[in-house]
Amino acid sequence: MRYLRHLLLAFVIVSCGGDQQVESPSTASIQISSLTRFVCSTNCLNVRDFGAFGDGRSHVLSQQDITQYGWNGKYQKGDEWDTVAISEAHEQAVAGMTVYVPTGTYLIWRKDFGASIKVNKGFDLKSGVALLGDRSVLIHPQAPSMLYLKYEYPRSYSNIIIEGFIFTHMGLDFDGSWHNMAVRNLTLKNCEFLNGLNPSAVTTSKMPHVAVAYANNFTIENCRFVRDSGYIGRGITIYKSHDVTIRGNSFDNSQNQGGFFVTAINVNGTRVRFQSGTQSTDPQLPILESSGKASILDDDWNKNIVIENNNLNRSSAGSFLQDQGIYTWGFDGLVIRNNVINGWGYFSGLGAIKVRDGQNALIES
């Protein structure tokens, strides 16, 4: 029934004409692992059965669509059909199931977005439900400006695997909230993140491809982070999270050369002060005890962070903002092992790795 509905919708919308083709990345530049051919059967929902097109063209909901179909989620006129289909598959999935997005180019866009950086819910995730692509491209109609998909408390996101996608001018932002750690047991693997924020934005250098805050047991592995000239920025940022593994990832440009990264991997937590002084309202500074020492709660540390077997390659072309390849502070338990880091300056304030304001660190080749 859903499949028939999809065919009819495709016919009606395409026959009207005027749909827009959105440029997708060159597959020649993509080097993430292709999945073994996946058969979506038991405990699996294929987004094509929910009306997704995956043809790289814009197909937006009409008011008639909203009235006609009995969706579980709430959508509005102007939302992209691809986005609604992925979201609705999650709405109907239960823990233990997989939402499958076949090979194709899917437009991700809903009308509720922020005025500046375009933080957009896009499609939601669901605890216990895997999201699986097959070199599936996710892009949005306003590329190359950037779209952030944000997942945050009070929703809880746990036991989720995201695999097999090419996020084009898109970022992921997970925020479990202080003391709640509502993002747990999440794995992001075999994905690519291509470029990012429009260079005209003021905060270009600060916006990463993947931002993780207040998470517990988060793994990022075998992913590729790409920044070409004109898309200067960061790769991964971790903030006050526990048991995080960043393993086997690469950071470069679409030609497998140096990427335009300020920092590839940031781990940020609480700044440690062991001298007395006036208390700051800065939330990154801990409360000082009467002895003048810092009282730091577990939730303010990054704990048990492992960064290993990554390849960080920064461009030496021209002059642009840089920090360190790996920059970590505010941690209790840190392992940096077997990483290859090239292209960051060796003079004052720069370098391959910077470690500060923490304890129990191991750095080895």
Side-chain angles (χ1 to χ4, degrees), residues 276-290:
S276 60
T278 303
Q279 286 196 15
S280 170
T281 58
D282 186 341
Q284 295 177 335
L285 295 175
I287 298 172
L288 294 182
E289 298 173 345
S290 58

Side-chain angles (χ1 to χ4, degrees), residues 88-228:
E88 188 62 19
H90 278 92
E91 288 283 346
Q92 298 191 27
V94 297
M97 297 185 74
T98 295
V99 171
Y100 177 55
V101 183
T103 302
T105 298
Y106 298 82
L107 269 62
I108 306 302
W109 184 252
R110 291 173 69 176
K111 291 183 66 177
D112 51 338
F113 61 88
S116 56
I117 305 299
K118 291 188 173 60
V119 175
N120 192 296
K121 195 63 175 181
F123 56 87
D124 207 351
L125 300 172
K126 180 177 283 189
S127 292
V129 176
L131 177 61
L132 179 64
D134 189 357
R135 297 175 61 84
S136 309
V137 176
L138 302 183
I139 193 170
H140 70 106
Q142 297 187 20
S145 61
M146 193 172 190
L147 175 71
Y148 264 81
L149 301 181
K150 190 170 182 65
Y151 304 101
E152 60 183 335
Y153 180 82
R155 294 276 321 246
S156 176
Y157 299 95
S158 62
N159 303 313
I160 297 172
I161 297 175
I162 303 172
E163 180 177 7
F165 291 94
I166 302 169
F167 293 92
T168 308
H169 299 291
M170 294 178 64
L172 299 178
D173 188 346
F174 298 91
D175 187 348
S177 179
W178 192 53
H179 289 326
N180 292 292
M181 293 284 184
V183 175
R184 294 175 176 270
N185 305 323
L186 198 147
T187 298
L188 177 64
K189 63 180 180 180
N190 297 327
C191 290
E192 174 160 337
F193 293 84
L194 178 60
N195 290 317
L197 195 64
N198 189 312
S200 65
V202 175
T203 53
T204 295
S205 66
K206 298 183 180 298
M207 304 304 292
H209 288 121
V210 177
V212 178
Y214 303 112
N216 193 316
N217 194 14
F218 199 111
T219 299
I220 304 172
E221 62 181 353
N222 299 328
C223 292
R224 185 180 178 203
F225 298 87
V226 172
R227 287 198 178 275
D228 291 318

